[in-house]
Amino acid sequence: MPDASQQAANAIDWDDVLAEVVSTLREYLRIDTSNPPGGEETAARFLGEILEREGFVTEYVEAAPGRVSLRAVLPGSGDAAPLMLLNHTDVVPAQREFWDVDPFAGLEQDGCIWGRGALDMKGMGILELAVMLLFKRLGIVPKRDLIFLAVADEETGSSQGIEWLDTHRPAWLREPEYAINEGGMAGLNFLGAQRPVFACAPSEKGPLWVTLHASGTPGHGSVPHDNNAVDRLVRALGAIRSWDRASTIDPMVQRSIDTLRDAHAWGDRQPSLDELRTRYPAFDAMTNDTISSTGLGGGFKHNVIPADATATLDCRLLPGQSHDAFLRNLREVIDDDQITFSTQLRSESGTSDFDTELIDVIREVVGEQVEGAIVTPLPTLGFTDSRVLRRRGVKAYGFVPTLMDASLAAGIHGHNERVPIEGLRTGVQILFEVVRRFVN
Ligand SMILES: [Zn+2]
């Protein structure tokens, strides 16, 4: 005998739900929340008004003018601690000249919805919204409160978003036991696997943004000397390039590989770790602390040796790696006391346990709904707001069940970002069912 919430769920017309998801997402993508400057208030009000129309009580908070985050709660029976559905409303800017379509037109074309934020992460935000609306319409009373939190300012480090909430609304971040957020992916052809892989992220790499400041003796370009700030900087960058760092297999990456191997995801021929690293740069980055040189500054006249020069480095450390130890090693490698460091962004994330009730439910639902699918843990390469929740003891997972080819999922932050409509169908069905079963 199915229970009441199961019976209600059986009556859902998923074609209708998908049509609503698609039209809401297209409208949402037309709100330009490029960050900087963000201007997320319009997005928060857009989502908030939809929730209010369906009877939700909403709360808005403004960290700075126009930087608005939104919260709505579907009250549960209180028999278990809340589950949070977290999303961010801002997007990275789009360079229109490189796009085939207007990135803020919310176009539907070739079976996809196109636009900046389709993948990161307005598409997922609308799936979370759809789950909230379905619960309300079906009259399901969960045992856990369901919290919808749509935050501003994720893309530039969250100081006007979840970090601000952490200071000014700490209770909001402490109350959930679990959270589902961006990160992870549901991919076909993921690492060449022949079965669909739902990679679920219990952790993420930590960004460490460093600027090197080289100083030297200024002078006339016609008289070279050996205390040239530009030359010092070039030497330092050369030393960093040839720094031989051992690769590390994070326990979650190892578990992912083992899971895929045990499930014969690659058929008869299991690729070696080295093959995977060579073939998939993103996987390579998952097994190393990485350093990308991203900027150079210095000099003001062609015939003047400047007194200083700078370089920016985007370093990303594996989960659990000490940022201080990394900086000490970097200093040793550069070995030049006329080069000083400053850090612009450093963020470390904890790792959420992967053997939990929520992960069990995800495995069960994914297994039922997508034939042959495998659920694995995999840290997220970028950083997400989940780090702040993990700091507060919340079990937070990157779980985006929008199934698509892994190469399309890699379009996050790129040109022609788009999400396949059929992926949204799988996504909303799985997300709803995971939440329903978990809070039932
Ligand atoms: Zn994002």
Side-chain angles (χ1 to χ4, degrees):
M1 179 71 187
D3 61 47
S5 97
Q6 171 80 65
Q7 275 175 344
N10 290 345
I12 297 174
D13 181 332
W14 288 107
D15 287 338
D16 285 354
V17 173
L18 180 64
E20 188 178 350
V21 162
V22 165
S23 70
T24 311
L25 176 58
R26 292 182 61 188
E27 239 185 292
Y28 189 28
L29 290 173
R30 289 179 197 129
I31 303 169
D32 183 349
T33 48
S34 298
N35 184 13
E40 297 91 341
E41 180 165 15
T42 318
R45 300 273 169 201
F46 171 78
L47 299 172
E49 277 162 25
I50 296 172
L51 289 160
E52 289 151 20
R53 273 204 300 274
E54 309 247 354
F56 280 96
V57 177
T58 52
E59 288 173 86
Y60 300 89
V61 289
E62 190 170 39
R67 313 305 302 272
V68 174
S69 296
L70 161 75
R71 179 176 178 271
V73 181
L74 183 94
S77 65
D79 290 335
L83 166 68
M84 176 182 278
L85 301 177
L86 176 63
N87 63 92
H88 64 82
T89 58
D90 60 321
V91 297
V92 290
Q95 288 175 284
R96 286 169 194 263
E97 63 273 28
F98 295 114
W99 284 63
D100 295 336
V101 300
D102 178 349
F104 296 102
L107 289 176
E108 179 180 337
Q109 198 174 291
D110 307 327
C112 293
I113 307 299
W114 297 57
R116 174 58 86 222
L119 297 171
D120 184 12
M121 70 168 289
K122 286 179 167 169
M124 178 64 179
I126 295 302
L127 298 191
E128 294 177 3
L129 179 76
V131 170
M132 297 297 286
L133 299 182
L134 282 169
F135 266 76
K136 189 82 170 178
R137 290 173 193 169
L138 297 172
I140 301 174
V141 179
K143 69 177 177 192
R144 301 172 183 270
D145 285 3
L146 262 188
I147 303 169
F148 178 84
L149 185 65
V151 293
D153 196 31
E154 193 274 340
E155 295 292 359
T156 64
S158 316
S159 64
Q160 310 296 319
I162 203 160
E163 294 282 6
W164 188 92
L165 293 176
D166 194 39
T167 307
H168 296 88
R169 297 287 187 282
W172 284 16
L173 307 190
R174 249 186 250 126
E175 62 191 352
E177 183 183 6
Y178 286 91
I180 292 176
N181 183 26
E182 67 178 334
M185 53 110 75
L188 300 167
N189 304 310
F190 173 75
L191 297 182
Q194 293 156 14
R195 291 168 59 177
V197 176
F198 284 67
C200 189
S203 60
E204 57 196 46
K205 290 186 84 176
L208 172 60
W209 292 358
V210 181
T211 302
L212 305 181
H213 305 264
S215 59
T217 309
H220 197 283
S222 63
V223 188
H225 59 69
D226 59 9
N227 190 24
N228 180 321
V230 175
D231 290 342
R232 281 190 179 279
L233 191 67
V234 169
R235 262 198 305 275
L237 292 174
I240 293 169
R241 284 291 302 161
S242 48
W243 180 10
D244 189 14
R245 298 185 305 284
S247 64
T248 311
I249 300 296
D250 175 85
M252 290 297 171
V253 174
Q254 185 64 56
R255 190 164 163 179
S256 190
I257 296 297
D258 292 347
T259 305
L260 292 174
R261 188 199 52 224
D262 294 348
H264 303 286
W266 287 288
D268 299 333
R269 208 191 148 275
Q270 155 91 19
S272 69
L273 276 179
D274 279 342
E275 280 174 87
L276 289 174
R277 276 201 202 102
T278 311
R279 222 176 293 159
Y280 304 100
F283 182 75
D284 189 42
M286 192 48 74
T287 61
N288 284 296
D289 296 328
T290 55
I291 305 174
S292 290
S293 307
T294 52
L296 284 172
F300 56 95
K301 200 165 181 300
H302 210 127
N303 62 351
V304 175
I305 297 169
D308 47 35
T310 59
T312 55
L313 304 175
D314 181 355
C315 310
R316 305 284 177 135
L317 308 195
L318 291 166
Q321 296 298 307
S322 155
H323 287 214
D324 287 334
F326 181 86
L327 285 172
R328 275 197 302 277
N329 292 338
L330 184 64
R331 214 177 285 278
E332 262 173 44
V333 165
I334 292 174
D335 191 24
D336 184 339
D337 54 18
Q338 276 177 243
I339 294 186
T340 58
F341 291 24
S342 62
T343 56
Q344 282 65 49
L345 172 70
R346 51 192 303 182
S347 156
E348 296 177 57
S349 165
T351 297
S352 297
D353 187 0
F354 206 70
D355 297 297
T356 58
E357 195 188 332
L358 179 56
I359 296 295
D360 287 344
V361 171
I362 287 175
R363 231 184 247 118
E364 192 179 284
V365 172
V366 166
E368 283 171 19
Q369 300 215 3
V370 181
E371 203 192 327
I374 303 165
V375 174
T376 69
L378 199 72
T380 303
L381 274 182
F383 64 109
T384 74
D385 283 341
S386 293
R387 71 188 185 278
V388 182
L389 291 173
R390 292 189 188 115
R391 218 152 69 198
R392 291 283 176 196
V394 179
K395 286 167 250 185
Y397 302 99
F399 177 61
V400 180
T402 312
L403 184 63
M404 68 187 86
D405 194 86
S407 61
L408 200 58
I412 283 179
H413 292 196
H415 316 313
N416 294 328
E417 183 180 346
R418 59 196 187 276
V419 62
I421 294 171
E422 278 312 303
L424 291 171
R425 180 194 293 275
T426 317
V428 73
Q429 287 186 218
I430 292 179
L431 189 63
F432 171 78
E433 188 55 20
V434 163
V435 174
R436 190 193 68 78
R437 234 175 263 192
F438 182 62
V439 301
N440 198 27

